[in-house]
Amino acid sequence: AQTVTQSQPEMSVQEAETVTLSCTYDTSESDYYLFWYKQPPSRQMILVIRQEAYKQQNATENRFSVNFQKAAKSFSLKISDSQLGDAAMYFCAYRVQETSGSRLTFGEGTQLTVNP
Amino acid sequence: DAGVTQSPTHLIKTRGQQVTLRCSPKSGHDTVSWYQQALGQGPQFIFQYYEEEERQRGNFPDRFSGHQFPNYSSELNVNALLLGDSALYLCASSRLAGAGGNTIYFGEGSWLTVV
């Protein structure tokens, strides 16, 4: 079974600084997708960034970028120039394509606090 | 373009009762998944519906059942409620089950409290 581990229950960062959230996963699949979701107090899951395992290039979305290390099964999220609005719970998630369908497997989350 | 909508947003039930939660997928989406998120934890996959059939199921008892209608909307039913069923229930929609890379959109969830 696939598992996703986020070893940092809580992280904090000063506004305008950079923070990195860690994620590791376990899978025997070679083709899969990885995601970072943000869940603010409103509780709605918002997609931050996604990475296809077959792509070597790390994904980037504005201030958000990932460090994808396939051999190490590591998928960290870097937030640059942190803003107060970035404060939220962040979840790392894994998804593999199967003939019957697909599901997201989530980590336990990292609560990010942004200090002014 | 409406996103994923869920109802009700909050509800309180008594142990042993039954509950039905509803979800309308984002326009153009044909696949609906349900997740349970207990307080302080990551969401756990319950099941996924495509073409009105349950395609995948997570590690949840038979008390959890669902349905997908021809218009792609979906219901989650939980029978014989337990205190441990108290959680946020998230509905997610996407296009084409099995397409692992398609973006999944989530609703705002239904908060269920069992007393």
Side-chain angles (χ1 to χ4, degrees):
Chain A
Q2 295 88 8
T3 59
V4 177
T5 302
Q6 294 179 248
S7 59
Q8 307 153 314
E10 299 178 349
M11 291 283 285
S12 64
V13 63
Q14 291 296 125
E15 195 175 3
E17 294 189 345
T18 296
V19 64
T20 299
L21 308 183
S22 301
C23 173
T24 59
Y25 58 94
D26 186 23
T27 183
S28 58
E29 302 288 339
S30 59
D31 190 15
Y32 49 88
Y33 299 82
L34 296 165
F35 306 85
W36 278 97
Y37 279 88
K38 169 185 177 181
Q39 188 177 44
S42 68
R43 303 295 280 181
Q44 183 167 16
M45 285 285 190
I46 301 166
L47 178 65
V48 174
I49 198 165
R50 56 179 270 177
Q51 174 79 43
E52 291 86 350
Y54 63 85
K55 290 186 178 179
Q56 294 185 342
Q57 186 173 5
N58 289 323
T60 299
E61 288 287 343
N62 300 314
R63 298 182 296 107
F64 299 87
S65 62
V66 299
N67 183 3
F68 173 50
Q69 301 291 327
K70 190 172 185 179
K73 295 181 182 176
S74 171
F75 182 61
S76 61
L77 174 69
K78 185 172 80 171
I79 306 174
S80 303
D81 186 25
S82 297
Q83 301 176 0
L84 295 178
D86 295 334
M89 181 73 85
Y90 285 81
F91 290 98
C92 178
Y94 163 98
R95 188 180 187 193
V96 66
Q97 179 174 342
E98 300 171 282
T99 54
S100 60
S102 59
R103 67 180 72 181
L104 283 168
T105 300
F106 287 88
E108 291 300 306
T110 297
Q111 182 67 53
L112 178 65
T113 300
V114 180
N115 300 309
Chain B
D1 178 22
V4 181
T5 58
Q6 292 186 242
S7 63
T9 54
H10 295 83
L11 69 167
I12 301 173
K13 291 287 188 177
T14 304
R15 273 183 302 175
Q17 284 188 319
Q18 179 264 345
V19 67
T20 298
L21 307 179
R22 297 175 176 81
C23 173
S24 292
K26 181 178 172 61
S27 177
H29 286 186
D30 54 14
T31 303
V32 174
S33 301
W34 288 91
Y35 292 81
Q36 180 195 65
Q37 186 178 16
L39 199 60
Q41 296 183 18
Q44 299 292 317
F45 175 78
I46 303 175
F47 42 53
Q48 183 178 74
Y49 278 85
Y50 173 67
E51 292 185 332
E52 302 179 50
E53 291 186 6
E54 182 182 293
R55 299 290 178 158
Q56 284 200 343
R57 188 178 183 91
N59 188 26
F60 280 81
D62 292 344
R63 298 187 297 108
F64 289 77
S65 63
H67 188 78
Q68 186 179 34
F69 300 94
N71 66 353
Y72 307 119
S73 67
S74 176
E75 288 183 350
L76 164 65
N77 300 292
V78 187
N79 295 322
L81 285 167
L82 304 173
L83 296 179
D85 294 332
S86 296
L88 177 69
Y89 288 84
L90 293 166
C91 175
S93 76
S94 60
R95 290 175 60 187
L96 295 178
N102 281 349
T103 300
I104 300 172
Y105 292 85
F106 283 83
E108 295 188 359
S110 293
W111 276 107
L112 171 64
T113 301
V114 182
V115 298

